[in-house]
Amino acid sequence: MEKQQVLVLGAGYAGLMAALRLAPHTRVTLVDPSPAFTERVRLHERAVGRPDITHPLDALTRRAGIVHLAARATGIDPAARRITTDDGRVLPYDRLVYALGSRTADPGERAYTPETAAELHKRLLDGPGELTVVGGGLTGIELAAEIAESQDAWQVRLITDGEIGAGLSAKGRAHVRTTLTGLGVRIEEGRRVARPEDIDTDAVVWATAMTANTALAEAAGIALDPGGRVRVDATLRSVSHPEIYAVGDAAAMTTPAAGALRMACATAFSSGSHAASSLIAETRGREPEPLRFRYTAQCISLGRRDGLIQLVRADDSPRETVLRGGAAARTKEQVVRSTVRVLRLAARRPGAVSLIPGVG
Ligand SMILES: Cc1cc2nc3c(=O)[nH]c(=O)nc-3n(C[C@H](O)[C@H](O)[C@H](O)COP(=O)(O)OP(=O)(O)OC[C@H]3O[C@@H](n4cnc5c(N)ncnc54)[C@H](O)[C@@H]3O)c2cc1C
């Protein structure tokens, strides 16, 4: 396997995990424009002024022997097995791991990203005013709570076309409503808005559906599902290009227990690790195993002092059991911290990661 060159596109939870697990077995180049890994699940903390939610990539990759190329992939040529980058390089590969993640689907090209979270912070410093969060899913809920709790100068409104926290149990949803209202958030459910310009407010954050970053895959003729994610088999190989693996938010993954996997940190981690196992098996002439994944809980922060841990069945449907309040906030913080701990472990002892339940 030493002669194989694996290119991993994207150093998010999925791509970084795949790269770290592959590093002892093959030559790995990780392509991502950023010098640091961004804890994307902390973007709302960045928006209210947490100084840093990043970790230098070097500290994780150098020790593992991974080459990090700080560039943006601009094209994939599957026939020639090479990619191009925005700094004019052409990189050949034997196997490609496509891990370019997702962004919020924004009608005005103002996706909710690390850069826009930093801009939002600057805007909040210019207060007072009213900020409207559009989207009543977990991203919108976490952001609205964080801002309402910490930014006294701002009145927060949350608009959603359906019910807030639609995937939660009745008890979980009630806790979200009560906590947000207690923080002063004005909730407008059942209202659909098409564009930020349609809302009379001082600032808007669009936090509706996520969309996969698969423009490069589509341009290369790699098969996508109707939702725009790369179609993969149970071992996470592209169904149209078996030399390409797709993981994380960019891939349309299904498991027998969980069904179609939603975009999430947990599924990104698990799929990144699993694609590495598949690739290692493939090059050793063994049959790769199918991905096994089942959900256990959804962890939601409601500011720094409150939270919700919603227990779910294997298929992500909510159970009635929830943990609320300060204990839930502390649990959520530990879960978020554990993601960075697992990446550090993967850099030190890549094989150990496959033993962690829900990751390997
Ligand atoms: C505000 C917010 C809160 C969230 N909270 C939670 C949560 O509590 N729990 C949870 O499970 N999930 C949460 N999520 C979802 C979770 O963050 C994503 O599912 C997860 O980040 C997906 O990981 P990924 O590796 O597939 O993609 P990403 O983390 O998006 O990483 C993609 C990487 O690709 C890089 N990239 C993009 N384009 C290129 C290119 N052309 N060339 C090279 N590199 C490129 C990017 O720089 C990035 O490093 C949240 C998301 C947001 C936005």
Side-chain angles (χ1 to χ4, degrees):
M1 191 157 174
E2 276 71 35
K3 293 197 182 101
Q4 293 255 347
Q5 172 66 60
V6 179
L7 287 188
V8 179
L9 304 187
Y13 296 95
L16 191 49
M17 176 57 79
L20 290 168
R21 283 225 42 226
L22 281 166
H25 305 276
T26 187
R27 281 187 292 145
V28 180
T29 300
L30 183 60
V31 181
D32 192 299
S34 174
F37 164 73
T38 298
E39 283 188 81
R40 204 169 149 202
V41 302
R42 289 196 195 271
L43 274 192
H44 51 295
E45 295 177 48
R46 176 74 194 91
V48 300
R50 188 186 167 110
D52 204 359
I53 57 165
T54 63
H55 304 267
L57 270 178
D58 254 17
L60 293 162
T61 55
R62 199 183 297 148
R63 175 184 194 133
I66 296 166
V67 176
H68 170 223
L69 187 63
R72 183 169 289 280
T74 50
I76 303 171
D77 180 347
R81 293 198 183 185
R82 62 189 182 203
I83 68 142
T84 49
T85 61
D86 62 352
D87 59 359
R89 288 184 226 216
V90 178
L91 305 173
Y93 64 83
D94 298 301
R95 294 288 180 273
L96 185 75
V97 179
Y98 192 102
L100 295 184
S102 64
R103 55 190 172 77
T104 48
D106 180 335
E109 287 307 312
R110 284 184 307 170
Y112 183 31
T113 63
E115 292 76 27
T116 53
E119 277 170 29
L120 175 58
H121 176 55
K122 282 193 206 134
R123 180 74 186 86
L124 291 172
L125 293 176
D126 285 345
E130 185 200 61
L131 175 124
T132 300
V133 175
V134 180
L138 305 187
T139 306
I141 291 169
E142 288 196 332
L143 181 66
E146 200 78 29
I147 294 174
E149 184 189 75
S150 62
Q151 310 292 308
D152 291 343
W154 286 83
Q155 171 67 46
V156 180
R157 178 157 57 137
L158 189 150
I159 298 178
T160 185
D161 58 357
E163 246 188 332
I164 197 163
L168 301 172
S169 65
K171 222 189 267 176
R173 207 160 34 248
H175 183 64
V176 168
R177 278 207 191 99
T178 309
T179 309
L180 286 180
T181 309
L183 290 169
V185 177
R186 192 148 60 91
I187 302 171
E188 292 179 27
E189 290 173 284
R191 180 177 167 200
R192 184 169 185 76
V193 281
R195 302 171 310 160
E197 299 74 38
D198 296 341
I199 310 164
D200 182 16
T201 192
D202 298 305
V204 177
V205 183
W206 208 263
T208 57
M210 311 290 280
T211 183
N213 277 333
T214 47
L216 289 189
E218 187 174 21
I222 298 165
L224 304 184
D225 79 341
R229 299 166 88 185
V230 176
R231 285 182 59 207
V232 292
D233 65 15
T235 71
L236 306 182
R237 261 186 302 209
S238 153
V239 296
S240 59
H241 295 78
E243 73 284 3
I244 296 176
Y245 288 75
V247 292
D249 287 2
M253 305 173 291
T254 305
T255 70
L261 300 189
R262 68 180 160 85
M263 295 180 185
C265 179
T267 51
F269 251 176
S270 183
S271 61
S273 177
H274 191 80
S277 296
S278 294
L279 233 154
I280 294 163
E282 184 204 336
T283 49
R284 286 179 179 165
R286 292 201 318 255
E287 195 58 37
E289 301 273 326
L291 175 68
R292 291 191 188 86
F293 181 88
R294 50 177 58 234
Y295 294 97
T296 51
Q298 294 183 14
C299 306
I300 303 139
S301 68
L302 297 169
R304 294 298 89 201
R305 296 188 288 271
D306 206 324
L308 175 74
I309 307 299
Q310 169 71 65
L311 297 195
V312 297
R313 299 185 188 87
D315 66 356
D316 209 26
S317 58
R319 296 181 187 275
E320 270 312 303
T321 315
V322 294
L323 177 67
R324 295 171 280 207
R330 288 190 292 279
T331 305
K332 162 84 182 187
E333 175 60 24
Q334 287 310 316
V335 169
V336 171
R337 281 187 195 187
S338 73
T339 60
V340 177
R341 282 194 209 116
V342 171
L343 286 171
R344 290 196 181 122
L345 175 68
R348 284 197 317 274
R349 294 183 54 211
V353 171
S354 58
L355 305 173
I356 301 175
V359 178

